[in-house]
């Protein structure tokens, strides 16, 4: 399959670079995601499940049928001095094992953290670790699966309500876990020849503390490519802050829906990435975009 050149990728106009499937915490299978992307009129998406590449192959098998290009990606859970930061990694070299090795460590940390969160919640809710595992299935376990178990138990109407009331980072039930250091994560992405973008870096709905401009500058020094500025959970003021940080530091800006299916209100194509930025990612990544 030929690699997409900078100019060849300019035919893509409607581009959503942050999409999840049921291989992590989305509700639709990779194949369903591709069909939904076609219905939404998208030209290209990046499948960025949490800490796994499991959905890339089945999604790629639907590219021709759906007419939607697929950019292989992943969303990496990281933290810097106690501040949670999610990192999007696009087009890593598929032959590199450095990210997959790290994901095995992350999965173990997630399991330990989830056991403790369930223990805390069980004091006030009738919930068990087995119920959360059932919601996760074969996907890497995370808070959305805990939210799903609470919704199934009748405690909350949907995931969003569960997050807002008991699963937010400020909640007494929340448990931090030993996530990969953000600086080290950017270095790993670059070692894997991927392109690193900081996800929703100013979404106050998600968390109270953010990486400082100085820290983001440090991330740029070790290889950060850009910032996810246009995101449904970042209001116009927050987006403006990110644009200004990008201008000061010389970082590119992306836009994405962070689609999770019916688990979130975010719609495919709700926020988009500029085609020129997409082209730069295509040119810089060590992997290949799958084209129709």
């Amino acid at each position: 399959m030929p690699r997409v050149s900078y100019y060849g990728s300019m035919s893509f106009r409607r581009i959503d670079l942050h999409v999840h499937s049921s291989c992590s915490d989305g509700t639709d299978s990779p194949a369903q995601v591709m069909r939904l992307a076609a219905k939404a009129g998208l030209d290209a998406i990046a499948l960025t499940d949490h800490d796994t590449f499991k959905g890339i192959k089945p999604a790629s098998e639907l590219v021709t049928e759906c007419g939607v290009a697929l950019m292989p990606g992943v969303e990496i859970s990281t933290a810097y001095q106690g501040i949670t930061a999610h990192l999007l990694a696009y087009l890593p070299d598929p032959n590199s094992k450095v990210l997959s090795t790290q994901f095995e460590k992350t999965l173990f940390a997630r399991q330990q953290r989830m056991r403790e969160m369930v223990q805390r919640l069980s004091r006030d809710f009738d919930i068990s670790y087995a119920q959360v595992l059932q919601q996760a299935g074969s996907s890497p376990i995370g808070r959305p699966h805990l939210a799903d178990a609470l919704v199934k138990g009748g405690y909350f109407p949907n995931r969003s309500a569960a997050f807002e009331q008991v699963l937010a980072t400020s909640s007494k039930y929340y448990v931090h876990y030993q996530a990969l250091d953000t600086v080290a994560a950017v270095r790993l992405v670059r070692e894997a020849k991927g392109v690193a973008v900081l996800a929703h870096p100013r979404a106050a709905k998600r968390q109270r503390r953010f990486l400082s401009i100085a820290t983001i500058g440090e991330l740029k020094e070790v290889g950060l490519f850009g910032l996810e500025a246009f995101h449904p959970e970042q209001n116009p003021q927050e987006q403006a802050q990110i644009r200004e940080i990008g201008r000061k530091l010389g970082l590119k800006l992306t836009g994405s829906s962070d689609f999770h299916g019916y688990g979130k209100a975010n719609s495919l194509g709700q926020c988009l990435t500029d085609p020129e930025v997409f082209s730069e990612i295509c040119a810089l990544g060590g992997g290949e975009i799958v084209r129709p």
Side-chain angles (χ1 to χ4, degrees), residues 114-122 127-129 132 146:
M114 190 55 56
R115 289 181 187 278
E116 189 172 344
M117 285 192 72
V118 169
Q119 184 177 25
R120 292 186 184 187
L121 281 159
S122 66
I127 189 171
S128 68
Y129 185 67
V132 182
L146 179 50

Side-chain angles (χ1 to χ4, degrees), residues 71-291:
M71 176 176 281
V74 66
E75 185 171 8
I76 305 171
S77 306
T78 81
Y80 183 85
Q81 297 182 358
I83 301 174
T84 298
H86 287 187
L87 192 69
L88 295 162
Y90 301 118
L91 292 176
D93 183 343
N95 296 316
S96 174
K97 302 298 182 185
V98 295
L99 292 178
S100 297
T101 299
Q102 176 58 44
F103 296 157
E104 292 175 6
K105 300 175 183 177
T106 300
L107 176 60
F108 179 77
R110 280 179 176 273
Q111 292 170 336
Q112 296 299 103
R113 176 255 205 130
M114 190 55 56
R115 289 181 187 278
E116 189 172 344
M117 285 192 72
V118 169
Q119 184 177 25
R120 292 186 184 187
L121 281 159
S122 66
R123 299 166 190 159
D124 300 312
F125 302 89
D126 184 13
I127 189 171
S128 68
Y129 185 67
Q131 291 172 321
V132 182
L133 280 178
Q134 185 177 27
Q135 294 300 317
S138 60
S139 305
I141 197 166
R143 281 185 296 161
H145 304 119
L146 179 50
D148 289 343
L150 289 166
V151 170
K152 187 174 182 180
Y155 296 109
F156 300 97
N158 51 49
R159 275 186 183 179
S160 296
F163 267 85
E164 289 171 5
Q165 297 181 51
V166 296
L167 300 183
T169 55
S170 57
S171 169
K172 66 179 181 179
Y173 305 110
Y174 183 80
V175 175
H176 288 278
Y177 71 103
Q178 194 60 42
L180 177 65
D181 176 79
T182 310
V183 175
V186 173
R187 287 195 175 110
L188 275 182
V189 172
R190 295 304 301 131
E191 184 180 343
K193 299 182 181 178
V195 180
V197 171
L198 199 60
H200 40 71
R202 287 294 183 272
K205 287 185 177 181
R206 303 177 65 102
Q207 61 191 79
R208 294 176 298 169
R209 301 168 61 209
F210 305 114
L211 299 182
S212 68
I213 295 177
T215 299
I216 296 174
E218 183 179 350
L219 296 177
K220 188 202 173 183
E221 291 300 314
V222 297
L224 184 69
F225 171 81
L227 305 171
E228 189 179 53
F230 313 108
H231 184 283
E233 294 165 61
Q234 290 176 157
N235 63 38
Q237 291 76 25
E238 291 162 348
Q239 293 180 18
Q241 291 174 22
I242 299 166
R243 290 199 302 270
E244 180 60 17
I245 294 170
R247 186 191 66 78
K248 286 182 177 179
L249 299 179
L251 291 166
K252 301 296 182 179
L253 304 177
T254 67
S256 315
S257 68
D258 199 357
F259 175 76
H260 281 72
Y262 60 77
K264 266 190 178 184
N266 306 16
S267 302
L268 274 168
Q270 189 171 351
C271 295
L272 301 171
T273 292
D274 184 276
E276 290 189 11
V277 174
F278 175 72
S279 295
E280 291 185 55
I281 296 173
C282 291
L284 291 171
E288 296 180 353
I289 187 173
V290 184
R291 300 188 68 171

